[in-house]
Amino acid sequence: MKKDNDSKKKKNFRKKLFIKNRLVILNEDTFEEIFSFRLTLMNVFVTFTLGGIFLILVTTFIIAFTPLREFIPGYSSTELKRNATRLAIKSDSLETALRQNEIYIKGIQKVLKGELEYSKFNKDSILAESVEDASDLNMKASDAEIKLREDVAETEKELKAKYQDKKKSDKK
């Protein structure tokens, strides 16, 4: 008995989904029909679902690809990133200058204490020592880095070719 009731309810619901209804907008004073639609519950449900999905996608793209994303907590502004990069470069150069000055001061202290002759001491030799300290780093590119550089160069060539083809087709 219960199965029959459930199946009847499901069939009734399916029938209700596809029953055609008419939505009519009338002028209240003259009862003239201004607008009329033939609708089913299924059409209304699908329309609102697709509209909601479209609205969510548009909102997501607007936030993701415009400066509005800076107002969301956790996203940093492009100006802040630019300043951080500039300050990192500046602090690196200041560290290098500080290191060179420290080496120079140590050299002067050696001359003053008599541990080093003045004739062997000049600023160029001190700067050369500080450069030698930095030259201990391995600056040779690895195989993976070389492959990555080649891939990036190839991708850039492809993008440039596509851009030029598009530009030519736009001119025509």
Side-chain angles (χ1 to χ4, degrees), residues 3 11 15 19 22 26 35 46 48-49 54 60 65 69 71 76 85-86 94 105 107 111 144 153 157 161 163 166:
K3 287 185 179 180
K11 286 181 183 178
K15 284 182 182 178
I19 292 176
R22 183 175 294 270
L26 299 173
F35 204 63
V46 168
F48 279 113
T49 303
F54 178 74
T60 302
F65 298 112
R69 70 174 168 258
F71 294 109
S76 59
T85 305
R86 186 176 45 81
L94 287 174
I105 290 171
V111 169
K157 285 180 185 176
Y163 177 73
K166 183 179 178 188

Side-chain angles (χ1 to χ4, degrees), residues 72-126:
I72 297 174
Y75 283 99
S76 59
S77 69
T78 53
E79 183 181 344
L80 183 64
K81 289 179 183 178
R82 204 175 309 123
N83 286 341
T85 305
R86 186 176 45 81
L87 289 175
I89 292 169
K90 198 177 209 179
S91 68
D92 186 44
S93 63
L94 287 174
E95 285 177 2
T96 304
L98 180 65
R99 194 176 321 114
Q100 288 176 349
N101 285 339
E102 286 176 352
I103 292 172
Y104 182 72
I105 290 171
K106 286 180 183 177
I108 291 176
Q109 287 175 347
K110 286 181 183 178
V111 169
L112 292 175
K113 290 180 183 176
E115 298 172 4
L116 185 67
E117 291 181 27
Y118 181 73
S119 61
K120 294 182 179 179
F121 175 76
N122 63 25
K123 189 163 184 159
D124 292 335
S125 64
I126 298 299

Side-chain angles (χ1 to χ4, degrees), residues 46-60:
V46 168
T47 303
F48 279 113
T49 303
L50 291 176
I53 291 171
F54 178 74
L55 187 65
I56 290 170
L57 287 175
V58 167
T59 304
T60 302

Side-chain angles (χ1 to χ4, degrees), residues 30-46:
T30 62
F31 294 107
E32 176 186 356
E33 185 177 314
I34 297 173
F35 204 63
S36 173
F37 268 128
R38 288 184 68 180
L39 300 171
T40 64
L41 284 176
M42 182 60 95
N43 289 348
V44 173
F45 175 73
V46 168

